[in-house]
Amino acid sequence: MFIDPFVIRSINRSELRKRILLYLYNIYPSFTYLAEIARVVRSDPSNVKGALVGLGNRYNGHSSLVSLGLVEIIEENGFKYYRLSEYGKRVVEMLKSYQSYYRKFM
Amino acid sequence: MESLVKKIDKNISAMIQVAVLNILKLGMEYRIFNKLISKKHYIDILNTNSIKNKPLLRDLLDTYVEIGIVERTLNEIRMRDFSYTITFSRESISYIQPDWITIFEEMYKMTRYSFITPEHPKILMDFDKDADFWDMRLSLEFNSTYRKLIASIGKLKDEMTVLDLGCGSVSPVEIGKLVGPNGKYVGVDFSPGMLSIAKSRIKELRFDWVILRELDIRTMVPRNKYDTIIMSFVLEYLPTLSLLKVMNTAMNALYENGKLIIIEPFRENYPQISAWEFFEKLTKEFIKFPSKSAIINSLEQTNYNFRVHEIGKSVLVVEKL
């Protein structure tokens, strides 16, 4: 499974997206809802929604975690839940092993 | 082991086929072939083309000449009628590990950026600046397959000692785990970026028998002896003149009856390898894939007795006697 390095580098530069991914990685394969993610990553739900799916003009939908294929949405009884995809899990594992490299070289 | 050897050889052959198709695509996309329909002055082709990176265009034209798409006299150049056949056998297809195809697509895109400028930020072929991209390449199924083959040839197990020359970021984990906890794996690489990724993995796995050193294999002097020495996809970054020195270093560091395992697409076994080399030259240290004969010649110039076993088209095992 090829992972675009630009995707990993872009996530590495975005603290909120990184925190969301790490939280979803920690609870994988479980899913959770938006307000819970916002509470754990200590951010506003609208910011978290922006990072997950994009939000109006403020966030670019193309670089949202769902558009990048890192997070998948599960709909149940009219509610939306979020879970790390298999690809997202691999990206987080790569990101973790590149942390010290990125600190020194990027 | 036979299946692993076939996987390596069949995938390398397929990589070269894809690389040939990719250089043909470049020729059409950038209208290089259109300009070469009639005989032209070589300098005119270089100067009238929209490609700004002239050294890369020169490399591409040289590759066309080597593959037989284009003929060149001293000053003139012209396209030849060229026919290229790819044979897909059911047997070959069953060995293909397709994850390298995306890497070849990425290298194709990077070549386009390199046509604009060799310093383009979207070129990810530098061992330090782009160690993450290299790590992804080294993590491919194909690369894991040749590491499995190395393990099988070297009969690697706990308590053995291994020196890996040009270890990169993945071998220290995949090869290193086989010789621990009582053996020793020493990985040498000149790229601090690659080693930084390898070190973080080794630390997390607590492989304290794995030692990583930032060294140039052309100048290193190993103090210890090893059961197995590995050189996988590293000789293409060495100038031909350094080959003797490196072979001498390896033979010196090997125990008697120890094995030097070399994995490379030996150029005499893969006639159109220059197509693949064209794309690998996006890495500034890349020179060319080695020939089996040059390696054996260098070994013969060392003062060591040895026996060489050829396995398939891409593996040489040198046994120190």
Side-chain angles (χ1 to χ4, degrees):
Chain A
M1 189 193 301
F2 175 72
I3 297 165
D4 186 342
F6 288 114
V7 169
I8 299 194
R9 289 178 188 185
S10 138
I11 286 163
N12 185 53
R13 283 190 293 265
S14 160
E15 217 28 66
L16 178 59
R17 288 193 301 168
K18 201 158 64 177
R19 288 210 304 270
I20 293 169
L21 284 178
L22 286 172
Y23 171 56
L24 293 176
Y25 180 81
N26 288 339
I27 63 165
Y28 183 87
S30 302
F31 46 82
T32 188
Y33 51 95
L34 182 69
E36 176 67 2
I37 300 172
R39 188 186 65 78
V40 173
V41 302
R42 294 178 185 185
S43 183
D44 190 75
S46 63
N47 284 333
V48 172
K49 191 174 183 189
L52 283 166
V53 293
L55 192 66
N57 294 330
R58 196 168 158 203
Y59 292 99
N60 181 355
H62 298 299
S63 56
S64 73
L65 296 173
V66 170
S67 303
L68 291 170
L70 306 176
V71 172
E72 51 199 20
I73 302 175
I74 296 158
E75 293 205 51
E76 232 177 64
N77 303 325
F79 292 100
K80 283 183 179 172
Y81 299 93
Y82 299 89
R83 178 171 69 187
L84 204 62
S85 65
E86 191 55 42
Y87 173 67
K89 185 169 171 277
R90 187 95 182 91
V91 166
V92 174
E93 280 159 2
M94 289 284 199
L95 189 62
K96 285 169 93 178
S97 57
Y98 296 162
Q99 279 310 292
S100 69
Y101 163 69
Y102 285 150
R103 270 196 299 272
K104 282 185 211 159
F105 291 86
M106 296 271 157
Chain B
M1 189 165 85
E2 197 189 330
S3 157
L4 294 173
V5 174
K6 278 196 176 171
K7 274 185 188 167
I8 303 296
D9 291 350
K10 301 282 182 198
N11 277 281
I12 290 177
S13 296
M15 287 175 195
I16 293 170
Q17 288 174 340
V18 168
V20 171
L21 293 177
N22 281 346
I23 61 161
L24 288 171
K25 272 164 64 184
L26 285 174
M28 291 187 278
E29 189 181 337
Y30 287 87
R31 298 177 182 273
I32 298 167
F33 294 151
N34 294 44
K35 288 178 181 149
L36 290 172
I37 291 170
S38 58
K39 204 178 276 187
K40 291 274 166 51
H41 205 281
Y42 184 74
I43 301 296
D44 289 343
I45 291 295
L46 283 180
N47 292 338
T48 56
N49 201 287
S50 62
I51 296 169
K52 292 191 175 77
N53 182 349
K54 300 300 175 193
L56 189 64
L57 176 58
R58 200 177 299 127
D59 271 348
L60 182 58
L61 292 173
D62 290 346
T63 307
Y64 288 145
V65 173
E66 269 186 61
I67 288 180
I69 302 169
V70 160
E71 59 188 351
R72 188 187 164 182
T73 57
L74 189 61
N75 295 320
E76 288 180 322
I77 187 162
R78 184 175 69 170
M79 199 176 164
R80 300 170 63 181
D81 288 332
F82 179 72
S83 156
Y84 185 64
T85 308
I86 294 180
T87 308
F88 283 105
S89 70
R90 277 174 293 178
E91 194 221 359
S92 297
I93 291 296
S94 69
Y95 288 110
I96 298 300
Q97 301 172 303
D99 52 358
W100 55 262
I101 291 172
T102 332
I103 296 288
F104 274 60
E105 276 174 19
E106 291 300 314
M107 288 200 289
Y108 185 85
K109 286 188 221 162
M110 290 182 213
T111 305
R112 285 192 182 133
Y113 293 121
S114 188
F115 278 153
I116 302 166
T117 165
E119 310 303 327
H120 200 288
K122 291 210 166 176
I123 302 169
L124 303 178
M125 297 284 277
D126 185 281
F127 284 120
D128 286 323
K129 203 163 56 65
D130 309 306
D132 47 358
F133 177 73
W134 273 104
D135 180 67
M136 286 168 204
R137 280 192 82 175
L138 296 173
S139 305
L140 296 176
E141 209 183 339
F142 166 76
N143 301 64
S144 280
T145 302
Y146 72 67
R147 286 188 285 269
K148 281 182 194 142
L149 180 59
I150 290 167
S152 166
I153 294 167
K155 297 187 175 66
L156 299 184
K157 58 175 193 287
D158 192 9
E159 296 190 355
M160 289 182 78
T161 53
V162 171
L163 173 63
D164 193 347
L165 301 174
C167 62
S169 55
V170 185
S171 272
V173 174
E174 288 193 6
I175 302 278
K177 74 177 175 205
L178 303 171
V179 296
N182 301 304
K184 187 166 78 171
Y185 169 98
V186 178
V188 172
D189 206 290
F190 81 109
S191 159
M194 303 296 293
L195 289 176
S196 163
I197 294 172
K199 279 177 184 166
S200 75
R201 288 183 177 139
I202 295 304
K203 194 174 163 192
E204 198 180 324
L205 292 164
R206 299 180 182 176
F207 284 1
D208 56 10
W209 60 91
V210 172
I211 298 156
L212 299 171
R213 296 266 182 264
E214 186 191 326
L215 291 168
D216 186 331
I217 64 170
R218 292 172 296 179
T219 51
M220 65 178 283
V221 184
R223 290 190 203 130
N224 300 314
K225 301 270 184 198
Y226 298 87
D227 299 310
T228 305
I229 297 181
I230 300 166
M231 290 184 195
S232 55
F233 287 85
V234 68
L235 297 174
E236 54 270 36
Y237 303 101
L238 295 181
T240 316
L241 288 173
S242 305
L243 199 54
L244 172 59
K245 169 84 175 65
V246 170
M247 289 299 150
N248 205 46
T249 303
M251 293 302 278
N252 186 36
L254 209 53
Y255 281 125
E256 271 183 27
N257 302 318
K259 286 177 185 160
L260 165 62
I261 304 170
I262 302 172
I263 309 244
E264 289 286 352
F266 299 116
R267 52 189 317 110
E268 54 268 77
N269 293 340
Y270 297 99
Q272 285 164 324
I273 198 160
S274 49
W276 181 9
E277 288 174 328
F278 170 74
F279 295 98
E280 293 296 342
K281 282 176 193 162
L282 292 170
T283 299
K284 62 179 186 298
E285 292 87 359
F286 184 89
I287 298 172
K288 63 176 185 178
F289 288 114
S291 69
K292 199 171 48 187
S293 56
I295 293 170
I296 295 172
N297 282 344
S298 298
L299 285 165
E300 281 167 351
Q301 289 177 58
T302 65
N303 291 322
Y304 298 98
N305 293 321
F306 63 91
R307 192 167 33 220
V308 177
H309 309 272
E310 267 187 72
I311 303 176
K313 292 160 74 178
S314 324
V315 182
L316 276 185
V317 182
V318 183
E319 202 180 337
K320 186 174 170 182
L321 300 174

